[in-house]
Amino acid sequence: MSETQTMLAQMDRYNRLKRESQIEDRATVMTALKACGITKVVIRYDGYGDSGGVEDCQVEGGQGQESLSVPVQTKLVDWSPAEATSHTAPLREVLETLAMQYVAVEHSGWENNEGGSGNIAFDPIADTITVSHTENYISHEDFMHTY
């Protein structure tokens, strides 16, 4: 197998593991939110100029922000060996990571140049994750008139 083929095989394995872990982590998060009595979490993100991230996290139901300190076990996928390992972190950290993964599905690189912003709503009652995204851009309208 050539070096290129080896790299492509590793990339395929990594991407497959990322998709699988995202599906598992989604189910884990929804179960944890329900167990905490949380009815909705909205994560707001913003960025531009090649950097950005989570700005705010609002919680409805449960014990509010306190509920997000409960430990949750998820999967981490490492590029180099393309393997998934178990990882335990507070629910808030897991929510933020999963939220940014869902933004990247349709808007990878959203933080570059003029950037973007949006909200990710986790609704455990409806079992949905909704991404509302705004892309920023500069617009120019040029006019030339000869008389």
Side-chain angles (χ1 to χ4, degrees):
M1 189 181 286
S2 73
E3 188 176 329
T4 300
Q5 290 171 322
T6 301
M7 179 67 86
L8 290 173
Q10 180 177 343
M11 189 181 330
D12 286 344
R13 178 168 167 70
Y14 174 81
N15 288 333
R16 182 179 53 78
L17 287 171
K18 284 294 281 184
R19 282 190 304 274
E20 290 171 2
S21 70
Q22 189 175 33
I23 290 167
E24 290 176 30
D25 290 350
R26 180 192 189 284
T28 299
V29 162
M30 290 300 189
T31 299
L33 292 173
K34 289 175 188 172
C36 291
I38 295 173
T39 56
K40 190 173 194 178
V41 174
V42 177
I43 294 176
R44 185 175 59 84
Y45 65 95
D46 190 17
Y48 65 92
D50 302 337
S51 66
V54 172
E55 297 286 324
D56 187 40
C57 180
Q58 298 176 350
V59 181
E60 295 177 17
Q63 299 298 316
Q65 292 290 334
E66 277 185 41
S67 300
L68 299 184
S69 63
V70 66
V72 176
Q73 187 172 1
T74 61
K75 302 270 184 168
L76 284 180
V77 180
D78 188 19
W79 164 256
S80 183
E83 293 177 354
T85 57
S86 293
H87 173 71
T88 302
L91 180 54
R92 180 177 176 136
E93 182 181 318
V94 173
L95 281 164
E96 289 178 358
T97 299
L98 194 58
M100 298 319 298
Q101 288 175 356
Y102 275 102
V103 172
V105 168
E106 300 290 337
H107 305 285
S108 181
W110 64 269
E111 72 282 5
N112 294 327
N113 301 319
E114 285 72 41
S117 61
N119 296 308
I120 306 96
F122 291 81
D123 184 339
I125 307 303
D127 195 33
T128 59
I129 299 172
T130 303
V131 176
S132 301
H133 179 76
T134 300
E135 289 188 11
N136 302 331
Y137 62 92
I138 296 174
S139 176
H140 297 279
E141 292 186 41
D142 297 322
F143 301 92
M144 179 164 50
H145 307 280
T146 303
Y147 299 98

